[in-house]
Amino acid sequence: MERNVAAVSGAVFLVGLGEELWKKFLPKYLESLGAGVAVVGLFGTAEDFLDALYQYPGGWLADHWGRRRAFLIFLAAAVTGYLVYLLAPSWPFLFLGLAFAMAWQSMASPAIFATIGDALPKERRAMGFTVQSILKRIPMVVSPLLGGAMIGALGLQTGIRTGLLITIAFVGITIPVLWTINLPAASGDSVKVWDVWNSFHSTLKRLLGSDIAIRTCEGMADIFVVLYVTNITGVAIPRYGILVAVQLGTALLVYFPSARMSARLGRKPFVIATFFCFALFPVAVVLAPDFRWLAAAFMIGGLREIGEPARKAMIVDLCAKEPAGTNGGSLLPRPQSIHYAGISNRRPIVEDSPADSVSCCGSNRNCGDASLCGHR
């Protein structure tokens, strides 16, 4: 594997090993600190909004500061957020921590895209994204199992705070890994944010429109899945960790085959298949009568990733070569920036009917499939 891609993938793997110990259980952590359903919904909205807000500056900073310096600063900001989570005496502090913790998840995303785009030729990018994505998702399989077990043994708050301490320790290991990155800052002047959209290929704009439709609906249900499964269906937190592991294990199993097949058959069919699975997942969760059927529903959730390597490769291929980080950063937030407004309405839905809050997004996601089918 190319050295810079290996360093970025290794950093994502190490930080993910820590973050995934507690990340899926944050809504329960909020609940334990006194937050109600409305606050949990607001937290999800804030997370999506910050995900949108941080992406473009993340790409711009990666282009102007250089990849290594940007990654290290984003990681330092995230550690600040972890410390706020760790020491939070009540739920309002988690919103402050979120503002810092999202730096790694969101600001680093366009820099990761750009690093792979810079380091690999076009024909190897889909596989490069596959390797990076697999290393990102291995912790998503392993860590929720361990995190759920810790919470079961130590209690919710103590278990999550122990996971946060472990995350900070993994960050210490990640720093020397990131130090090995050796890519220059982008040369020349960066285009302005309003010029980036005009520079996009028409196919890229259509892909973006599809993504907006999909993620608008995803945001309405995603943060409530853990509350629905644990509070409504009565699944214990350690068993919910098993469901998350099933979901991400399925994603890992399909990654390499889908990347190879998309290189041979074309990327569009796999992205469309991903969107169909996005539509089916929340409906399957609500219709599941017991744990076995929930496991099947979470397998469908794992199949949402079948087109992810192809989608990422399409984005990089269609973006202008320079500046890659800025272009990637301007593309990535737009789905979240649109659906952030839509999911602010999710609180009354879940208060009236928790099942509806998870399932109502399924049918709307099909409009993303229709939009993407127009790609040429």
Side-chain angles (χ1 to χ4, degrees):
M1 186 188 299
E2 200 276 336
R3 183 186 66 181
N4 294 297
V5 176
V8 169
S9 300
V12 170
F13 175 79
L14 289 168
V15 176
L17 277 177
E19 279 193 338
E20 296 300 330
L21 290 170
W22 48 267
K23 196 170 183 179
K24 293 292 185 182
F25 308 108
L26 266 182
K28 296 293 290 184
Y29 189 45
L30 275 162
E31 194 177 54
S32 74
L33 292 174
V37 171
V39 173
V40 174
L42 181 62
F43 187 84
T45 296
E47 182 177 5
D48 292 327
F49 175 69
L50 291 174
D51 196 17
L53 187 67
Y54 285 177
Q55 299 265 0
Y56 185 86
W60 189 91
L61 292 173
D63 282 336
H64 287 75
W65 287 355
R67 312 297 189 228
R68 179 174 64 192
R69 182 182 177 190
F71 279 130
L72 291 171
I73 291 174
F74 301 156
L75 194 58
V79 170
T80 303
Y82 304 153
L83 289 171
V84 175
Y85 284 164
L86 177 66
L87 302 173
S90 58
W91 62 261
F93 287 87
L94 267 63
F95 283 82
L96 175 63
L98 181 68
F100 289 98
M102 289 294 293
W104 176 255
Q105 175 181 322
S106 300
M107 284 189 169
S109 291
I112 292 170
F113 270 56
T115 298
I116 295 175
D118 290 345
L120 297 177
K122 180 176 179 179
E123 64 272 11
R124 293 179 57 195
R125 286 174 187 161
M127 187 55 63
F129 284 119
T130 300
V131 172
Q132 181 266 328
S133 295
I134 286 178
L135 288 175
K136 178 180 179 180
R137 282 160 177 77
I138 288 175
M140 293 180 180
V141 176
V142 176
S143 293
L145 291 172
L146 300 176
M150 282 197 307
I151 291 171
L154 303 175
L156 181 62
Q157 292 189 17
T158 303
I160 286 180
R161 286 168 177 161
T162 301
L164 286 162
L165 288 172
I166 294 172
T167 304
I168 294 170
F170 275 120
V171 167
I173 302 172
T174 304
I175 291 173
V177 175
L178 288 173
W179 204 264
T180 64
I181 295 175
N182 185 23
L183 287 171
S187 59
D189 295 330
S190 175
V191 293
K192 293 180 174 63
V193 63
W194 51 84
D195 292 331
V196 175
W197 173 257
N198 293 329
S199 73
F200 286 160
H201 191 282
S202 60
T203 301
L204 185 58
K205 293 179 180 179
R206 193 179 294 273
L207 175 61
L208 177 56
S210 305
D211 220 20
I212 289 172
I214 294 299
R215 299 194 185 280
T216 297
C217 302
E218 179 188 21
M220 295 177 68
D222 191 54
I223 197 168
F224 292 117
V225 170
V226 60
L227 298 183
Y228 177 81
V229 172
T230 58
N231 295 351
I232 305 300
T233 67
V235 173
I237 289 179
R239 298 192 83 191
Y240 180 76
I242 294 174
L243 292 174
V244 173
V246 168
Q247 178 178 339
L248 276 303
T250 303
L252 285 176
L253 289 176
V254 301
Y255 249 86
F256 271 119
S258 66
R260 292 184 179 278
M261 292 176 67
S262 68
R264 296 177 181 178
L265 304 177
R267 290 167 178 159
K268 182 175 69 174
F270 292 88
V271 180
I272 293 173
T274 284
F275 288 177
F276 276 120
C277 291
F278 265 103
L280 289 175
F281 173 59
V283 177
V285 170
V286 170
L287 294 179
D290 53 34
F291 185 81
R292 289 179 299 176
W293 284 101
L294 277 172
F298 275 74
M299 289 179 67
I300 294 173
L303 292 175
R304 295 182 300 178
E305 307 292 334
I306 195 169
E308 192 66 5
R311 186 184 70 87
K312 290 179 177 178
M314 287 175 68
I315 290 172
V316 173
D317 291 348
L318 294 169
C319 276
K321 176 64 178 176
E322 296 291 350
T326 303
N327 276 358
S330 64
L331 170 66
L332 291 172
R334 292 177 187 271
Q336 284 79 12
S337 63
I338 298 297
H339 90 252
Y340 134 79
I343 60 178
S344 64
N345 296 319
R346 57 184 159 195
R347 177 186 59 81
I349 295 175
V350 78
E351 286 180 341
D352 292 340
S353 173
D356 287 346
S357 73
V358 179
S359 65
C360 69
C361 59
S363 60
N364 290 331
R365 279 185 171 149
N366 291 315
C367 65
D369 301 323
S371 177
L372 185 61
C373 284
H375 280 195
R376 287 177 294 182

